[in-house]
Amino acid sequence: MATLPVDAIKPLADKHPKPPNVLFQYGTAGFRTLGDALDPVMFRVGVLAALRSKRLDGKTIGVMVTASHNPEPDNGVKLVDPRGEMLEVLWENHATTLANAASTEDFIAAVQTLVTNSRIDLSKPARVVYARDTRPSGPALVASLEDGLKAMGAETRNAGVTTTPVLHYLVKAINTKGTKDSYGDDSEEGYLEKLSSAFKKLVAGKSTASPLIVDCANGVGAIVGKKLAEALGSSLPLNLQNTAIDTVGALNNACGADFVKTSQKLPPSLASVLKRGERGCSLDGDADRLIYYYMDEREQFHMLDGDKIAALVAAFIVDLTKSAGLEEVVQVGIVQTAYANGGSTKYLSERLPVKCVSTGVKHLHHAAERYDVGVYFEANGHGTVIFSPETLEKLATHQPSTPAQSTALNHLINLTKVINQTVGDALSDMLLVEIVLAHKSYSGVEWDALYMDLPNRLVKVVVADRHIFKTEDAERRLVSPPGLQARIDELVRRYAGGRSFVRPSGTEDVVRVYAEATIRSQADELAFRVAGLVYDETGGDPARRPAEFL
Ligand code: G16
């Protein structure tokens, strides 16, 4: 029976000590905090990734070093399970435990406990593929991660600087290589080839945007977006903007999907780029979120967020299943979170089954797996479509009885290739949207007209300890601090069409407040009143109370 390589772990762990008085938590999307603070976490994640791989019989595990939409000084790390999915929840707890061990000795003891309790056979191989985004803190953090992998003797593959969704794709492609379920060639080129060739088949003979403006958030999407543009050629010309990956401080700064969604504005850098009647889209820092928009004939900006993408895409897939003669056997369902606009939830639930779950792709993904075709999008633009294995089998074996059925079936099969089914993928989702718009001959205006968004506002509140906020009912209600939910309910009742909820962020040190109402000014007022309530009730310093909080 192989034993833990303590002699290898100890000196390397000593190089990455955990400072006292810091508490790390594996949150919504892994560990995320200031890049400077993450050195010990990275080493320990390296060890954990190797253990996870051994536990799963040597299957390849992914590690992505990114803080996605967060500001540039932040960084983070998350693990990817063998099918390209987020790490299993039980192991998130193991990650938190290992990250918080006070000393090298405590860490080794915690690892030993994990090995015993999880019955990890240490004689199995450990295989890990890792990548990072463009953050300046990335290279040093990757070096710490590599120390952890080395300590465990893992077989490693460095996928370099790439997007989070490419890393998820690689994990699945590596683990399915040479099998009948092969997900594609296990390289970035394989990913680009898979997406672009299916895209070209789907838009053959149709007209697409010329060109499509893509805000790359000055992040890694600029690198992979450039390669995608080359692969797409004239099938979809891309005009890549905000590509300054080497400019310090530029990442996600006044640009990118999170900026557009939260400020409900066009990035100032695109003001002279996006012309009347044109559409564009914004990726976030690691290209796993996508927000669309267009400028109307009166030069008014209109945002098309994750909810609008879900509505567009779901209707298209339903139409195709009908046209292919599969409507009786393939059920399409939607998964949203509490942030979904009330207008979208009403529109979608009148047409399809809709489920609401907690924030975080892992929750949406698992809920979506219960449908034959699960369309899941967070309002912030994070989402994808997943086809169950049974549905993929039905698509592969269905015998169309007319040429029209055959065309629709081929479209569905090609869609399964354009869509990165492992995780939300801004570039893949962008192609998906462009396919639907090309097939429907929609501009942004017709797409936007599917339903009316209720005016809404998202506010961040900085509190002393966000961990005191506990929620229930898919995060729609607070159970702690006691009494706060009743006061929010009382406020909400005063606003026509009012809805508001409060939850702690899992990626930033803030509490988020969401509010919507029938009228814009009322939505804003409700959000700022609830924010004021949260601030005051949690002992916020009156001198530092943000002026806009009511
Ligand atoms: C991550 C998660 C998303 C989540 C977002 C915000 O996105 O993957 O599912 O919606 O964080 O989460 P929270 O409100 O808990 O901070 P990303 O794009 O930053 O990886």
Side-chain angles (χ1 to χ4, degrees):
M1 188 73 178
T3 54
L4 200 63
V6 174
D7 290 346
I9 297 173
K10 195 172 177 321
L12 287 166
D14 283 341
K15 268 176 66 187
H16 306 281
K18 177 186 173 291
N21 309 322
V22 190
L23 194 65
F24 298 108
Q25 168 120 34
Y26 198 100
T28 313
F31 294 104
R32 217 174 263 192
T33 183
L34 279 174
D36 291 350
L38 277 167
D39 173 71
V41 174
M42 300 303 302
F43 172 79
R44 292 161 184 215
V45 164
V47 172
L48 184 79
L51 291 169
R52 178 80 180 142
S53 175
K54 285 177 184 286
R55 178 69 187 89
L56 299 176
D57 218 7
K59 292 230 166 46
T60 296
I61 296 294
V63 179
M64 184 69 202
V65 180
T66 179
S68 195
H69 72 280
N70 290 43
E72 187 170 294
D74 285 4
N75 215 325
V77 60
K78 61 184 165 194
L79 277 85
V80 179
D81 262 353
R83 288 188 302 149
E85 299 170 338
M86 300 291 187
L87 179 68
E88 183 186 296
V89 175
L90 187 63
W91 277 67
E92 293 187 356
N93 301 334
H94 300 330
T96 300
T97 304
L98 293 197
N100 288 307
S103 62
T104 294
E105 288 65 37
D106 289 356
F107 172 65
I108 291 172
V111 170
Q112 194 63 68
T113 306
L114 174 60
V115 168
T116 310
N117 292 352
S118 301
R119 294 194 300 280
I120 298 170
D121 180 351
L122 292 168
S123 65
K124 298 277 177 176
R127 300 189 177 99
V128 178
V129 56
Y130 56 92
R132 67 172 174 92
D133 69 14
T134 55
R135 280 163 206 271
S137 56
L141 294 177
V142 164
S144 317
L145 173 77
E146 285 168 337
D147 274 354
L149 295 167
K150 188 167 137 202
M152 291 297 293
E155 291 170 34
T156 60
R157 173 166 159 188
N158 183 351
V161 177
T162 193
T163 68
T164 295
V166 167
L167 193 264
H168 283 254
Y169 166 92
L170 285 177
V171 172
K172 185 160 181 175
I174 292 168
N175 285 313
T176 55
K177 196 171 180 163
T179 72
K180 71 173 183 36
D181 299 322
S182 168
Y183 197 56
D185 185 68
D186 60 328
S187 63
E188 197 180 71
E189 296 73 39
Y191 161 90
L192 293 166
E193 161 61 22
K194 182 178 177 186
L195 267 59
S196 59
S197 60
F199 177 82
K200 286 176 191 166
K201 287 181 194 152
L202 278 156
V203 297
K206 313 259 176 214
S207 76
T208 53
S210 60
L212 177 67
I213 293 157
V214 185
D215 159 20
C216 300
N218 296 316
V220 67
I223 300 174
V224 182
K226 184 159 178 272
K227 295 177 191 167
L228 180 64
E230 281 158 18
L232 291 170
S234 59
S235 66
L236 180 66
L238 302 179
N239 174 356
L240 302 180
Q241 294 288 319
N242 294 325
T243 57
I245 54 171
D246 295 320
T247 304
V248 175
L251 179 71
N252 293 327
N253 190 355
C255 61
D258 196 52
F259 171 86
V260 176
K261 176 63 184 160
T262 37
S263 63
Q264 306 185 17
K265 281 193 210 123
L266 184 68
S269 51
L270 296 189
S272 58
V273 179
L274 189 73
K275 303 271 165 21
R276 204 181 281 192
E278 282 184 345
R279 65 175 172 268
C281 58
S282 288
L283 323 177
D284 70 343
D286 64 341
D288 62 0
R289 294 194 201 179
L290 178 72
I291 297 285
Y292 260 79
Y293 32 80
Y294 68 98
M295 198 62 86
D296 72 14
E297 291 304 322
R298 291 181 300 127
E299 300 220 0
Q300 289 280 330
F301 166 80
H302 297 266
M303 181 174 72
L304 297 151
D305 65 3
D307 299 337
K308 289 269 173 171
I309 296 174
L312 181 78
V313 165
F316 184 62
I317 294 176
V318 169
D319 285 352
L320 284 179
T321 55
K322 282 186 191 156
S323 307
L326 284 163
E327 63 186 302
E328 300 297 328
V329 289
V330 175
Q331 190 199 36
V332 180
I334 309 272
V335 186
Q336 300 187 312
T337 72
Y339 291 111
N341 191 281
S344 83
T345 308
K346 180 168 180 298
Y347 171 83
L348 287 167
S349 42
E350 283 163 3
R351 289 160 177 80
L352 291 168
V354 177
K355 176 125 181 70
C356 179
V357 300
S358 297
T359 298
V361 170
K362 58 186 176 230
H363 300 297
L364 289 112
H365 195 94
H366 287 142
E369 281 179 326
R370 305 220 176 87
Y371 298 118
D372 300 328
V373 180
V375 178
Y376 73 82
F377 274 90
E378 295 182 283
N380 63 24
H382 206 153
T384 188
V385 180
I386 52 180
F387 295 75
S388 71
E390 296 72 32
T391 304
L392 290 173
E393 185 64 29
K394 279 176 200 157
L395 296 183
T397 54
H398 180 59
Q399 295 294 329
S401 42
T402 64
Q405 282 198 354
S406 172
T407 304
L409 180 66
N410 276 331
H411 286 342
L412 279 169
I413 292 170
N414 281 319
L415 277 186
T416 67
K417 297 177 182 159
V418 157
I419 297 167
N420 184 348
Q421 296 182 50
T422 60
V423 78
D425 179 336
L427 293 171
S428 155
D429 290 340
M430 176 185 87
L431 298 182
L432 176 59
V433 165
E434 291 301 321
I435 289 162
V436 185
L437 297 179
H439 276 253
K440 298 251 184 201
S441 302
Y442 276 3
S443 70
V445 180
E446 288 92 14
W447 174 12
D448 202 12
L450 289 178
Y451 64 86
M452 285 272 287
D453 269 324
L454 281 171
N456 61 88
R457 177 68 54 198
L458 189 58
V459 180
K460 293 180 192 181
V461 188
V462 179
V463 298
D465 178 10
R466 75 184 198 281
H467 300 292
I468 62 169
F469 288 80
K470 304 264 186 267
T471 61
E472 62 176 8
D473 187 20
E475 302 181 319
R476 288 174 285 198
R477 297 192 62 78
L478 277 177
V479 288
S480 160
L484 187 52
Q485 185 61 49
R487 303 203 51 192
I488 295 170
D489 290 344
E490 207 263 310
L491 259 181
V492 167
R493 275 195 290 275
R494 297 191 220 155
Y495 293 81
R499 181 169 76 92
S500 179
F501 66 90
V502 172
R503 59 175 284 278
S505 163
T507 61
E508 294 173 70
D509 195 10
V510 296
V511 168
R512 300 197 198 281
V513 171
Y514 176 87
E516 63 187 29
T518 322
I519 302 170
R520 148 80 31 227
S521 59
Q522 298 259 297
D524 291 346
E525 189 181 297
L526 178 57
F528 289 125
R529 274 198 193 286
V530 174
L533 213 58
V534 168
Y535 188 84
D536 294 347
E537 291 230 349
T538 51
D541 177 357
R544 306 178 70 170
R545 191 179 200 274
E548 65 271 25
F549 290 6
L550 301 171

